[in-house]
Structures are given as structure tokens and as C-alpha cells.
Amino acid sequence: MLEVELNKSKRIENKKSMIPNWLRTLIKHKTLVVGSFFIFIFFIFTLFPTLFFAKDITIQTNSTLRMLAPSLEHPFGTDHIGRDILSRVIWGTRVSLGISVGAMMLAMIVGGTLGLISGYFGGILDNVIGRIIDVLYSFPSQILGIFIAGILGPSVKNVIIAIAIVFIPVFYRTMRGSVVKEKEREYVEAARSLGMNDTYIMFVHVLRNSIVPVTVQFTVGLAVAIQLEAALGFLGLGVQPPAASWGSILNDGIDYLLFAPWISILPGLFMVLAVFSFNLIGDGLRDLLDPHSEK
């Protein structure tokens, strides 16, 4: 009996040894796996929309197909001018995620760089940058985004800039907090004693050890950026017709909620799923990359 149990345990160990360590670690974080699965599907829509539709048919109208309910031919139904909702949602995924990712990358580069410089050098530079960031941070994110987009005007580029400005203070504070802690550690003093200059220490050593919370913030921020992009599109400050984004599709159906709710509700579910998935990824990355957060 003991020999049977030993053989069984050996088989289990052999199976485990066939799985790479990084994959076993990843599987333990179920929220990260589930969130990544759904986001992978969304990025397939973003990168390869022609796998589902041969061309962009979001601008094709047909008055005979106005406001058809969901069916096999039109799984998400059609809108008030006969456009297929599913095609608009899939092509809109490219626009919405592209804007959100682009805005967050711009915000991370600008805010992260300012936070790195401010936190490392401190002093007057830290005070000046900090006061400017505090002014931006004092405004509610959606109000600030709407205000900036209203000044710049509706376009994809301006929406990216508006959302990026909203998130620059967030990345600044996240990076600065990490850098202030890291610059007091022994390896920084050791690098100075070896004759390394501040620029090298800051961008090679301190940045590398401060990037984890910024990475997590990037993922969580994507969920908020999607909502902000949808809000701007809903208000007519985002991408303009005939281009489609999740926010503009929601706006198209606002007048028809009572008798054609699928125009807005079904695209809204896509947006909710994307936001939920990015939040799951953010939680999973925080647990995976930051050992202090594990319970």
C-alpha cells in the first residue's frame, strides 16, 4: 500500500515537472488568467476585425433593415439607419481600446518620467512639479477629461491627449512614491560609491525597481480610460461619424432605448466586460508582482 502511494506521488511530481514554473505560478492567480482570456479576445477583435467581417461595414446603411431585433443574421440587431450592431461593436473595439491604450501609454511615459525625476532629486524641482500635479489631481477625472476634450475639439488624437492628461497625475504619484522609497536603499549608495552618475542610477537601477506599481496602475487605469473614452464618445466629444467606438454606439441608441434597447445595451455589455477584465488583470498582476500584497 505504501509503495502504491509512493508511485502515485512520483507520477504527480513528474507531471508537475513537465509544467514550466512560470506557468504554474500564473495558473495560481485565477483572476489574472480569466481577465487575460477575455482581453485576449478583445485584442483579437482589435487586431484582426477582418476575421469576422471582410471589410469595415460600419458605415453601410440600409433603410429596409432599420432597428431589427437580434437574430441569426444580425446577432446584435441593427440600429436606426440599418447598420449591423455586431460589426460596429467589433470595429469599435479597435477604436476604443486603441484610444485607451494609447492614452495610458502617453500618460505613463509623461507622468512616470516626471515622478521619477521629482522623486529622485526632490527639492525645489519636486515642489514645482508637485504643485502643478496637485492642481490637475484636484479635478474629478471625468470633468477634467470633458473640459480638455471640449477645448481641443472632437477627434481621436484629442481624446487620447485629454485622457492622458487626466492620468498623468496618477502615474506621477505612483512613480514618485516608489522612487522615494527606492532611492534610500543600499544598492543606490553602492552604485554611487562605484562612481555611477545620477542619470544612470535613476534610469537603470531605481526605475527598474520602481516599475511594478506603475505596471499595475497601467492595467487598472485602462479600465477607467475605457469608461472615460465611452463618456466622451457618448457626449459627442470622441470619434466622429461614420467611425464607431463603444461610446458613440451607446450615444446612437439613447433615443431608442424603449423600443430598440439592443442598440445601446449590447455594446454596453462589451464595455462592462472589458472594464471588469482589466480590473481582474490589475488585481492579478498586483498579487503576482508584489509579494507584499499577498494575503
Side-chain angles (χ1 to χ4, degrees):
M1 188 68 179
L2 180 60
E3 184 177 354
V4 173
E5 291 296 328
L6 289 174
N7 290 333
K8 183 178 179 180
S9 63
K10 286 182 179 179
R11 287 196 299 270
I12 294 174
E13 290 297 327
N14 289 334
K15 289 181 179 179
K16 287 184 177 180
S17 64
M18 296 173 64
I19 304 175
N21 291 332
W22 65 268
L23 185 57
R24 286 206 300 269
T25 303
L26 187 63
I27 292 174
K28 291 179 182 178
H29 298 84
K30 294 181 175 58
T31 57
L32 180 59
V33 174
V34 173
S36 299
F37 171 76
F38 286 112
I39 294 303
F40 174 76
I41 294 176
F42 281 119
F43 274 101
I44 290 295
F45 290 162
T46 301
L47 298 174
F48 308 106
T50 52
L51 290 177
F52 309 91
F53 293 95
K55 58 181 179 178
D56 185 352
I57 62 173
T58 60
I59 62 175
Q60 295 181 359
T61 64
N62 190 334
S63 60
T64 63
L65 301 177
R66 293 178 66 251
M67 290 186 290
L68 295 180
S71 62
L72 290 178
E73 186 176 359
H74 301 283
F76 279 21
T78 60
D79 64 8
H80 58 293
I81 54 177
R83 295 173 297 189
D84 183 77
I85 297 296
L86 178 58
S87 70
R88 286 177 61 76
V89 169
I90 289 177
W91 284 90
T93 301
R94 163 177 281 190
V95 176
S96 295
L97 290 187
I99 289 174
S100 301
V101 172
M104 294 304 294
M105 290 183 67
L106 179 59
M108 183 176 65
I109 293 171
V110 176
T113 302
L114 290 175
L116 177 63
I117 295 172
S118 181
Y120 187 84
F121 291 106
I124 297 176
L125 182 63
D126 184 25
N127 289 329
V128 172
I129 298 176
R131 297 300 76 75
I132 297 173
I133 294 298
D134 288 342
V135 171
L136 292 175
Y137 203 77
S138 64
F139 292 96
S141 59
Q142 289 193 351
I143 294 177
L144 180 59
I146 292 170
F147 175 74
I148 296 171
I151 292 176
L152 297 177
S155 72
V156 172
K157 180 183 70 174
N158 292 340
V159 171
I160 291 175
I161 293 173
I163 296 176
I165 292 175
V166 169
F167 280 95
I168 284 174
V170 178
F171 283 105
Y172 169 84
R173 289 192 166 191
T174 303
M175 177 63 81
R176 182 186 178 279
S178 298
V179 170
V180 168
K181 294 179 181 178
E182 290 296 325
K183 73 176 185 178
E184 302 297 333
R185 297 188 182 276
E186 292 80 4
Y187 71 86
V188 175
E189 293 299 327
R192 286 199 185 101
S193 66
L194 292 174
M196 299 179 184
N197 59 45
D198 286 329
T199 303
Y200 183 86
I201 296 172
M202 181 172 58
F203 283 100
V204 175
H205 295 292
V206 176
L207 177 60
R208 182 176 60 186
N209 290 285
S210 305
I211 201 67
V212 168
V214 177
T215 304
V216 175
Q217 182 60 58
F218 178 87
T219 309
V220 175
L222 278 172
V224 184
I226 289 173
Q227 299 175 65
L228 185 52
E229 185 281 326
L232 294 175
F234 183 80
L235 294 173
L237 297 173
V239 298
Q240 297 301 294
S245 71
W246 289 341
S248 63
I249 299 172
L250 290 172
N251 186 35
D252 289 341
I254 192 64
D255 295 327
Y256 308 97
L257 281 177
L258 292 179
F259 46 90
W262 55 85
I263 299 177
S264 292
I265 290 178
L266 295 178
L269 292 176
F270 260 61
M271 188 182 73
V272 170
L273 181 59
V275 170
F276 179 67
S277 299
F278 276 121
N279 279 320
L280 288 180
I281 293 176
D283 291 341
L285 283 177
R286 185 184 62 241
D287 295 338
L288 179 65
L289 300 176
D290 187 2
H292 299 292
S293 67
E294 294 180 357
K295 297 181 180 179

